[in-house]
Amino acid sequence: MTHPKVKLILEVLLFVYTTSIVLGRLYCGMHGFFDVFIGSVLGAILSLVQWFYGDALDHFIYTGSFTAPIIVTLIILLLVRVHPEPADDCPCFDDSVAFAGVAIGAELGYWHYSHSGLAWDFPVPATTPFQLEVLGWPKTIARIAVGIVMILAWREVMKPTLLRLLPPVFRVVEKLGLSLPRKFFVQASEYKRVPKHLKDDDMMPSVSEIPSLLTSMRHPRRTRSVSVGPQSEADAYETMAYREKRRKEDASSFAANTTADFRGNLKNDSPGYFGMNTSDHSSDKPPISGLLPTPASSNVDLYRQMLGTDPVLYTPLTPNSEKAIDGSNSHRGSEDRRRYEKEEREMFSNLEKPRVRYDVEVITKLIVYAGIALIAVEGGPVVFDIIGLGFGKQTA
């Protein structure tokens, strides 16, 4: 049983960690306020459901017939199917599919493991037998190593196998008119085979990526990459809209201030057009040459300037002829438009171009991640008993 103080410390740490994720997504501009707000509300609702009904649901699924996990699996598959189409080509749907696969594998694994005679029923059904005092550190470390090898081996074998075998099946399904195409995914009839070595899964590195991963851990500054600013076209358009809004607000504010200054100067009979000396004010702050900073600036500063957080500077016009005024306005307007167009091109050029994704990857991801969960909750413990790293058939 966990000590109350230890439990409290862990809960506080998890709360701080969760809050940092929410604030970090806002700070880096990778999500909007309503994104994190709705996500937090959903998380709170699910937590309450788990708090009040979690034990009853676990008992129903793990101790009942095979019908219970099948119903849960069908519900999860239905949720995958009705998942909303993303606004742009982002990995959000892929992440949801991976999560759904883990949920399916875990429910099936827990149900079967609870009926195997190897699991403990305390504190919940399907509990993996483990006592550090009995096993000791050598066997515990060996269990971890064996489990990691099993998961990596499963992924390395099953993913390329499924990507090779599933396209012909999908073509037959498509000919029968039973396919359910999704946006941003190429259908099997439009390609011959899925290329090897798809770099689409950062959650679970392949065996070939382990050396570079270890190198990045030893030298984090050499390979560290911080995602700041727009990450997709939808984010970029949102940034542009927000920046345009700020420009209009600054223009309105400037017009109101200059009108007030003009009226005050007329009342005080002070000299000067708009009551200001343009030669003095021009040296107060250097004009902004562009919203994008120099390469020496940080990524956060870059995104702040892309959003237009710096005030928009306006140079008051001198009372010249109307022709000179119109010509100056037209010239300055053209320069502003060219500068804004250049900034927009640079913004879109910095976006990571999404790769081509194939329809078979959805089912592949579901199967692979379901298998990973099965290995974690049942396959591993069964193998541990076979190779002498478990407890055998005993009760808690």
Side-chain angles (χ1 to χ4, degrees):
M1 203 68 176
T2 306
H3 193 277
K5 290 185 178 179
V6 175
K7 182 180 179 181
L8 177 62
I9 292 174
L10 292 176
E11 290 176 349
V12 170
L13 291 176
L14 289 175
F15 178 79
V16 172
Y17 173 69
T18 305
T19 305
S20 69
I21 293 177
V22 173
L23 298 179
R25 306 299 282 188
L26 291 172
Y27 180 76
C28 293
M30 300 176 72
H31 280 290
F33 171 78
F34 284 104
D35 295 335
V36 297
F37 175 75
I38 297 300
S40 300
V41 170
L42 288 175
I45 293 174
L46 293 175
S47 298
L48 290 174
V49 172
Q50 176 65 26
W51 177 267
F52 289 106
Y53 305 105
D55 292 340
L57 290 174
D58 290 342
H59 186 271
F60 167 74
I61 295 174
Y62 303 150
T63 62
S65 65
F66 191 61
T67 305
I70 290 298
I71 292 175
V72 173
T73 300
L74 293 176
I75 292 175
I76 295 174
L77 292 176
L78 177 63
L79 293 176
V80 171
R81 178 62 199 119
V82 300
H83 188 288
E85 295 282 5
D88 55 4
D89 195 358
C90 69
C92 50
F93 176 68
D94 303 66
D95 297 340
S96 300
V97 171
F99 181 85
V102 170
I104 292 173
E107 296 301 330
L108 294 175
Y110 280 131
W111 178 86
H112 190 267
Y113 191 51
S114 65
H115 291 77
S116 65
L118 299 174
W120 288 351
D121 294 329
F122 180 83
V124 294
T127 297
T128 301
F130 178 79
Q131 288 181 352
L132 182 60
E133 298 81 3
V134 177
L135 288 178
W137 281 107
K139 284 189 175 183
T140 300
I141 296 174
R143 285 162 64 107
I144 296 174
V146 171
I148 292 175
V149 170
M150 291 175 62
I151 290 175
L152 292 177
W154 163 263
R155 184 179 181 275
E156 286 297 308
V157 172
M158 288 304 300
K159 184 175 181 179
T161 302
L162 292 171
L163 292 178
R164 185 173 62 255
L165 298 178
L166 287 179
V169 178
F170 272 60
R171 294 188 189 102
V172 173
V173 173
E174 188 176 344
K175 288 182 180 180
L176 296 176
L178 301 177
S179 63
L180 299 173
R182 289 194 64 91
K183 191 177 179 181
F184 306 116
F185 284 85
V186 180
Q187 291 187 278
S189 59
E190 301 177 15
Y191 62 89
K192 293 183 178 179
R193 62 182 181 86
V194 179
K196 298 180 180 179
H197 308 297
L198 294 176
K199 295 183 178 180
D200 68 324
D201 198 348
D202 297 332
M203 298 175 63
M204 183 65 64
S206 62
V207 175
S208 59
E209 295 174 343
I210 292 179
S212 60
L213 180 63
L214 296 176
T215 301
S216 65
M217 294 173 63
R218 290 196 300 267
H219 307 285
R221 293 183 178 273
R222 297 182 184 177
T223 56
R224 184 182 179 186
S225 175
V226 180
S227 298
V228 177
Q231 303 297 303
S232 64
E233 290 186 5
D235 293 340
Y237 284 120
E238 186 177 358
T239 300
M240 291 164 53
Y242 178 75
R243 187 175 60 183
E244 186 64 25
K245 178 183 176 182
R246 285 192 57 85
R247 288 198 187 105
K248 292 179 180 179
E249 291 175 349
D250 290 336
S252 301
S253 176
F254 177 81
N257 292 336
T258 52
T259 301
D261 291 340
F262 179 69
R263 291 175 178 175
N265 291 332
L266 288 178
K267 182 177 181 181
N268 297 329
D269 196 25
S270 58
Y273 189 72
F274 285 155
M276 60 176 70
N277 189 337
T278 56
S279 62
D280 294 338
H281 284 272
S282 62
S283 61
D284 291 342
K285 184 175 181 179
I288 297 178
S289 59
L291 293 176
L292 294 176
T294 60
S297 300
S298 68
N299 288 335
V300 176
D301 292 335
L302 166 64
Y303 185 56
R304 286 175 175 172
Q305 294 187 20
M306 288 166 66
L307 283 176
T309 53
D310 288 337
V312 179
L313 299 184
Y314 291 86
T315 304
L317 301 176
T318 56
N320 296 329
S321 64
E322 293 183 1
K323 182 177 181 181
I325 294 175
D326 293 340
S328 175
N329 287 341
S330 177
H331 179 68
R332 184 169 59 250
S334 299
E335 288 183 350
D336 290 342
R337 283 194 298 271
R338 285 194 295 268
R339 187 176 76 246
Y340 298 155
E341 290 174 358
K342 179 182 178 182
E343 293 165 1
E344 291 171 4
R345 287 195 300 270
E346 291 179 355
M347 185 189 304
F348 280 97
S349 65
N350 290 330
L351 297 178
E352 184 178 352
K353 302 298 186 297
R355 68 162 180 82
V356 177
R357 292 189 289 172
Y358 305 91
D359 52 0
V360 295
E361 295 183 66
V362 178
I363 301 299
T364 299
K365 192 177 289 287
L366 274 173
I367 296 175
V368 170
Y369 278 87
I372 290 175
L374 271 168
I375 292 173
V377 303
E378 182 181 20
V382 171
V383 171
F384 298 156
D385 282 324
I386 295 175
I387 63 177
L389 297 177
F391 280 79
K393 293 187 178 182
Q394 43 184 299
T395 57

